[in-house]
Amino acid sequence: MNDNLMEKIVALCKRRGFIYPGSDIYGGLAGTWDYGPLGTLLKNNLKDIWWKEMIQLRSDIVAIDAAIMMNPKAWDASGHVEAFADPLIECKVCHERFRADKENEIKSHEKTHDKKVEWTSPQKFNLLVKAYLGIIEGKQQEIYLRGEITNGAHVNFRNIVDSTRIKIPFGVAQIGKAFRNEITPGNFTFRSREFEQMEVQFYIKPDEKEGEKWFEYWKQNRMDFYTSLGIKKENLRFREHDEKEKAHYAKKAVDIEYNAPFGWSEFMGIHNRGDFDLKRHQEYSGVDMQYKDQVTGEEYTPWDIETSAGVDRSLLFLLIDAYKEDGERKVLKLNPKLAPYKVAVFPLLANKEELVSQARKIYEDLRQEMMVAWDDRGNIGKRYFAQDEAGTPFCITVDFQTLEDKTVTVRDRDSAKQERIVIDKLQDYFQDKLK
Ligand code: GAP
């Protein structure tokens, strides 16, 4: 199954309305993707779970939602204008360009030519995407679309400390779009040019021991997050960056990697950014980014332990991990919390008024509490098939027995087992199952 698993996932995503190629009717735009009806729900569920963990259940993290467009000085200060670059090489046969550090992609490209391929020497290629602001041609201001969402947190450090009562150690959580002029977008949404990130910048006392403690804490915390969502432990691992690989801001960097069909690949990163960002923003803006401890009177520039995950990448790996085949049946065994629809309701026959009106009533009642799908097309087997592919954990069928004893069939996606449940007990039943 692994050989063409990616093709199957891509096909299912389009067929069922999870993810479509961006600008599809115009032939697409490389590295962009549009989320369809199911994909949008799935993505929002993932983000909601993340927000709940980071904000609702913690007192030491606050939320922000910073602008995508920033004063370009912020990108000078953060080092991105100078150092946010990948090494680019060009195939001398067909002039296609690749990242020099992606050995597998280079090797598979070489196989596409009959003759021996020669490459140009690596050149640094900046990944920031430029945009132009203003209405007068020739006088427009050149800006960058943010290459990581991180800067929006750092530039607001002073504002956050001054406007809240939060004390170090504390975090700033954010979810938002980032843009990168990736040399070789690919592997579906894995490497896109427009994507979403969910990050926490966790500010701590500037101290090696403190740094190590929080780094280890966040590594484990994030690993636990993904296993709690249902990703199999054996498909996840940590990998530390060596000196050459580390980003310009990082003192230390560890990736959580996923065992993807295209090889172990970066899922998310945990970085000790030290005081790099706050110091640079202080230097470039002239604004004091020091933190004053109200009890001891100590003043210092905090360090930042960052956790940074791609929303799209997380979603892709969750989909891959959840995909199962059982003969002809294709099932997305998604964690019910992530599933776009929690329940689907079917009247056994679409032309039997008593069945339809009873099923409608159940549908309307349940959807007050959760996302519920309705399907009255074709035979029940086909309807199960469609809901399995959509990852819907439960299907309810209203049949002739329902009219006699007020029970319905509830069918479980993962076991395909069915049981009869009294209509009045459905709310409690699902509340318990979907906890
Ligand atoms: N603020 C730190 C930062 O941006 P990164 O390792 O460059 O670090 C963090 O990116 C995460 O963002 C990655 O682990 C990945 O999940 C996601 N990401 C990065 N580039 C991406 C791309 N081109 N397409 C999709 N997701 C990407």
Side-chain angles (χ1 to χ4, degrees):
M1 181 168 93
N2 236 14
D3 296 350
N4 50 7
L5 180 57
M6 280 310 286
E7 282 160 40
K8 289 176 180 174
I9 296 281
V10 174
L12 184 146
C13 281
K14 186 158 187 196
R15 184 166 72 245
R16 288 289 165 209
F18 281 98
I19 304 171
Y20 313 122
S23 322
D24 203 11
I25 61 167
Y26 293 103
L29 177 69
T32 66
W33 300 94
D34 294 339
Y35 285 79
L38 291 188
T40 305
L41 296 176
L42 174 59
K43 202 180 192 196
N44 284 341
N45 290 343
L46 173 64
K47 291 193 280 184
D48 287 348
I49 296 170
W50 190 90
W51 276 124
K52 183 174 177 189
E53 268 215 6
M54 293 302 187
I55 300 293
Q56 188 179 330
L57 299 177
R58 296 187 70 116
S59 322
D60 59 351
I61 302 184
V62 292
I64 60 157
D65 184 5
I68 287 177
M69 297 187 290
M70 297 179 81
N71 188 313
K73 280 188 204 152
W75 297 106
D76 277 324
S78 66
H80 283 77
V81 173
E82 190 192 328
F84 192 48
D86 280 336
L88 175 149
I89 52 171
E90 190 173 303
C91 167
K92 287 191 179 171
V93 181
C94 67
H95 303 290
E96 206 173 325
R97 292 167 172 193
F98 289 85
R99 267 175 68 169
D101 55 347
K102 296 288 167 200
E103 229 176 276
N104 288 345
E105 287 167 29
I106 292 167
K107 276 195 191 135
S108 54
H109 179 75
E110 284 175 348
K111 287 190 195 135
T112 65
H113 294 297
D114 296 335
K115 49 179 154 179
K116 186 172 168 4
V117 172
E118 285 187 45
W119 297 93
T120 59
S121 49
Q123 282 182 351
K124 286 275 177 196
F125 176 78
N126 193 290
L127 302 182
L128 285 174
V129 176
K130 286 182 183 161
Y132 300 90
L133 265 191
I135 53 163
I136 301 168
E137 199 61 48
K139 286 196 177 163
Q140 288 162 320
Q141 185 185 17
E142 187 178 285
I143 61 161
Y144 305 103
L145 300 184
R146 60 186 180 191
E148 56 172 358
I149 61 171
T150 329
N151 249 349
H154 292 316
V155 300
N156 279 298
F157 177 79
R158 180 83 278 139
N159 283 335
I160 291 167
V161 169
D162 291 348
S163 61
T164 68
R165 285 179 299 156
I166 199 115
K167 292 192 173 52
I168 278 193
F170 76 86
V172 177
Q174 184 173 206
I175 298 183
K177 290 266 188 178
F179 305 83
R180 293 184 190 177
N181 211 350
E182 294 286 359
I183 297 166
T184 44
N187 287 326
F188 198 22
T189 58
F190 176 77
R191 200 180 305 129
S192 310
R193 289 185 168 140
E194 175 179 336
F195 54 96
E196 246 179 313
Q197 292 183 309
M198 36 191 190
E199 291 192 344
V200 172
Q201 309 305 320
F202 199 79
Y203 298 105
I204 60 166
K205 271 188 169 179
D207 174 81
E208 290 293 342
K209 258 196 169 159
E210 193 74 357
E212 203 45 42
K213 181 182 93 186
W214 283 110
F215 196 88
E216 289 306 312
Y217 169 84
W218 279 113
K219 259 174 68 182
Q220 201 50 49
N221 179 287
R222 290 302 77 201
M223 186 62 103
D224 294 345
F225 176 69
Y226 286 109
T227 52
S228 77
L229 290 180
I231 299 223
K232 287 171 217 70
K233 274 200 179 107
E234 63 267 27
N235 284 338
L236 294 168
R237 71 177 187 192
F238 292 117
R239 189 182 65 80
E240 182 158 359
H241 287 206
D242 62 27
E243 233 10 81
K244 274 203 303 235
E245 195 187 352
K246 273 191 307 196
H248 62 279
Y249 49 72
K251 280 164 73 74
K252 181 172 178 175
V254 167
D255 286 342
I256 295 180
E257 291 190 329
Y258 180 73
N259 188 11
F262 42 88
W264 284 95
S265 308
E266 178 185 343
F267 200 140
M268 64 162 301
I270 300 103
H271 311 128
N272 181 345
R273 297 176 75 122
D275 57 13
F276 178 86
D277 301 271
L278 291 184
K279 275 229 168 103
R280 293 271 294 206
H281 284 303
Q282 174 166 300
E283 186 190 330
Y284 279 67
S285 68
V287 172
D288 182 9
M289 292 291 191
Q290 300 260 96
Y291 176 82
K292 185 167 183 183
D293 187 312
Q294 296 301 325
V295 180
T296 63
E298 215 183 335
E299 268 192 69
Y300 53 78
T301 311
W303 283 8
D304 170 33
I305 307 295
E306 167 187 67
T307 68
S308 176
V311 176
D312 314 77
R313 220 174 256 194
S314 300
L315 215 125
L316 173 62
F317 292 154
L318 283 161
L319 285 170
I320 293 172
D321 218 67
Y323 182 85
K324 297 283 165 300
E325 286 179 4
D326 176 11
E328 285 293 285
R329 192 164 90 97
K330 298 178 180 67
V331 195
L332 279 183
K333 294 194 172 180
L334 288 168
N335 182 322
K337 287 193 184 127
L338 286 166
Y341 287 98
K342 312 303 176 195
V343 179
V345 179
F346 314 148
L348 182 66
L349 300 171
N351 56 1
K352 281 276 174 256
E353 180 45 35
E354 309 98 287
L355 296 181
V356 174
S357 64
Q358 180 59 78
R360 272 272 159 207
K361 168 128 192 13
I362 294 170
Y363 171 67
E364 291 301 340
D365 285 350
L366 282 179
R367 73 196 297 210
Q368 304 304 317
E369 303 301 325
M370 63 193 82
M371 288 299 297
V372 185
W374 171 265
D375 195 356
D376 57 9
R377 302 158 307 161
N379 66 43
I380 292 289
K382 276 198 181 139
R383 294 186 224 169
Y384 284 152
F385 221 78
Q387 294 303 327
D388 284 345
E389 282 201 338
T392 310
F394 300 101
C395 294
I396 296 175
T397 305
V398 172
D399 53 21
F400 291 104
Q401 191 181 327
T402 311
L403 304 179
E404 287 165 19
D405 66 3
K406 295 276 173 217
T407 64
V408 290
T409 305
V410 176
R411 183 255 199 187
D412 180 288
R413 175 197 68 195
D414 296 343
S415 64
K417 286 210 175 100
Q418 304 187 3
E419 55 181 323
R420 299 289 307 183
I421 305 288
V422 178
I423 293 172
D424 287 350
K425 296 258 172 344
L426 282 175
Q427 289 276 10
D428 291 346
Y429 178 86
F430 290 123
Q431 235 142 44
D432 188 45
K433 292 276 184 188
L434 297 166
K435 257 204 296 235

